Amino acid sequence: MEAGFERAVAPHRRELLVHCYRMLGSLQDAEDVVQETMLRAWRAFDRFDPTRASLRTWLYRIATNACLNALESRASRPLPSSAGPAFDDPDAAFVPASEVPWLLPFPNDPESAAVERSRLRLALVAALQLLPARQRAALILREVLDLPAAEVADSLGMTTAAVNSALQRARARLAEAGVDPEAAAEPPAAQRAIVDRYVDAFERADVAALTALLADDVVLEMPPMANWYLGRDDYAGFMRRVYRLRGTDWHTEPLWANGEPGFAAYVDGALHTVQVLSVEQGRVTRTTVFQSPEVFALFGLLPAQR
């Protein structure tokens, strides 16, 4: 691509990647669509008219429609907590659901801008996946990017009235899921302090200390398994099962994903899982446990012995 084009679009690449990830629920899919967006933009760059729209808005329009095209041929990526009822037996057999394209984490770091961390919260991205594709796009463009409703309508080939109707339905669906798209992520230091206490209890296999850090309505889920649990009691019961079956020789390495703290968990020296924790008001509200080579690769982790 020509140097002038690259200089013009370079400042927008990161936010376009975040935008496409929120739409698609997969970093790899988002990277593919951003590449497609840049190719389309380069081919049409000589026709770009800055008097009609800013370069940023023009790029978002291309990226959003590329995401909508991609979603025509693939399913949205849920988390287990939105795909079926909670399990009520912590000792229930695991139910593999590898055929489901589950939501994947987005590796980042605590130095990311506060607005990016808020937009990437795992609960928000998971809730967005519940929306029909055009509702999702309208909500992201209007609420997250703060584009005027008329510009959103122009980008999506809709009327302004249709956009406002879609926004109303999308907001209601997110409210049902208990997610506020405008909520800010808690400061990284405050989140990490709670997770560090959780990790200390986790490595000591101290279920009582670990459970004391949980919100009453905490969610524990572990794609690609369909199993998920709601509430402190079932969470504690599941952790007792983990230590009973896998032993207590655990160690961890810290990481960040979706603007939230987490860790890679190793048992008997072998990589076991990537765990991302959501923290609100000093309590863990959600733990999402990923156990797949695809997720390990996202974080540059190798399933090797210590």
Side-chain angles (χ1 to χ4, degrees):
M1 296 184 184
E2 295 180 0
F5 174 80
E6 282 292 342
R7 284 194 299 271
V9 302
H12 304 289
R13 281 185 179 271
R14 173 72 183 187
E15 63 175 344
L16 286 171
L17 181 64
V18 172
H19 172 61
C20 293
Y21 169 75
R22 287 197 303 271
M23 284 289 296
L24 302 172
S26 162
L27 177 57
Q28 183 175 6
D29 289 352
E31 288 173 337
D32 290 344
V33 169
V34 169
Q35 286 299 107
E36 180 183 346
T37 296
M38 292 304 170
L39 182 58
R40 291 185 185 184
W42 176 61
R43 288 172 173 167
F45 196 52
D46 60 345
R47 300 191 300 277
F48 167 62
D49 183 355
T51 65
R52 297 186 59 189
S54 68
L55 177 61
R56 179 175 184 262
T57 299
W58 184 66
L59 290 171
Y60 267 107
R61 181 180 304 162
I62 296 171
T64 300
N65 282 285
C67 288
L68 292 173
N69 290 340
L71 287 168
E72 289 179 356
S73 60
R74 67 190 75 178
S76 293
R77 290 178 173 269
L79 284 174
S81 57
S82 60
F87 283 55
D88 56 10
D89 178 5
D91 290 309
F94 283 115
V95 179
S98 299
E99 74 284 357
V100 176
W102 296 110
L103 176 67
L104 298 176
F106 187 109
N108 65 349
D109 60 64
E111 302 305 317
S112 299
V115 66
E116 178 178 302
R117 290 187 290 103
S118 298
R119 292 171 179 174
L120 280 173
R121 289 173 295 130
L122 203 56
L124 173 58
V125 178
L128 289 172
Q129 306 305 302
L130 303 175
L131 304 176
R134 286 193 174 272
Q135 279 187 30
R136 191 184 317 171
L139 185 75
I140 292 172
L141 292 172
R142 182 73 183 96
E143 300 284 349
V144 179
L145 302 177
D146 201 29
L147 294 182
E151 285 193 25
V152 175
D154 185 52
S155 295
L156 299 179
M158 302 167 65
T159 65
T160 301
V163 165
N164 288 330
S165 177
L167 288 171
Q168 185 176 18
R169 294 194 300 272
R171 290 172 186 141
R173 184 67 184 89
L174 263 60
E176 289 175 5
V179 174
D180 179 1
E182 298 182 357
E186 300 217 356
Q191 294 185 66
R192 178 53 75 180
I194 297 300
V195 173
D196 284 347
R197 291 171 58 191
Y198 180 100
V199 165
D200 177 67
F202 178 87
E203 292 184 335
R204 292 186 290 105
D206 187 339
V207 174
L210 184 154
T211 306
L213 296 167
L214 305 178
D216 290 341
D217 57 352
V218 64
V219 168
L220 171 65
E221 52 196 335
M222 54 206 85
M225 301 300 169
N227 307 54
W228 71 278
Y229 297 95
L230 177 64
R232 298 171 70 182
D233 290 344
D234 285 348
Y235 194 119
F238 185 83
M239 292 308 300
R240 285 191 287 269
R241 171 188 182 181
V242 169
Y243 293 127
R244 185 173 65 248
L245 296 179
R246 301 306 304 263
T248 58
D249 182 21
W250 293 84
H251 84 281
T252 66
E253 295 178 359
L255 52 77
W256 287 82
N258 293 79
E260 299 176 313
F263 55 90
Y266 297 77
V267 61
D268 296 325
L271 179 60
H272 183 258
T273 49
V274 164
Q275 305 193 25
V276 182
L277 283 71
S278 299
V279 176
E280 296 179 16
Q281 300 180 345
R283 289 288 184 267
V284 175
T285 59
R286 177 190 298 266
T287 300
T288 308
V289 180
F290 298 95
Q291 188 177 38
S292 73
E294 184 176 10
V295 172
F296 296 158
L298 282 174
F299 292 90
L301 300 171
L302 298 176
Q305 298 289 322
R306 274 187 290 184

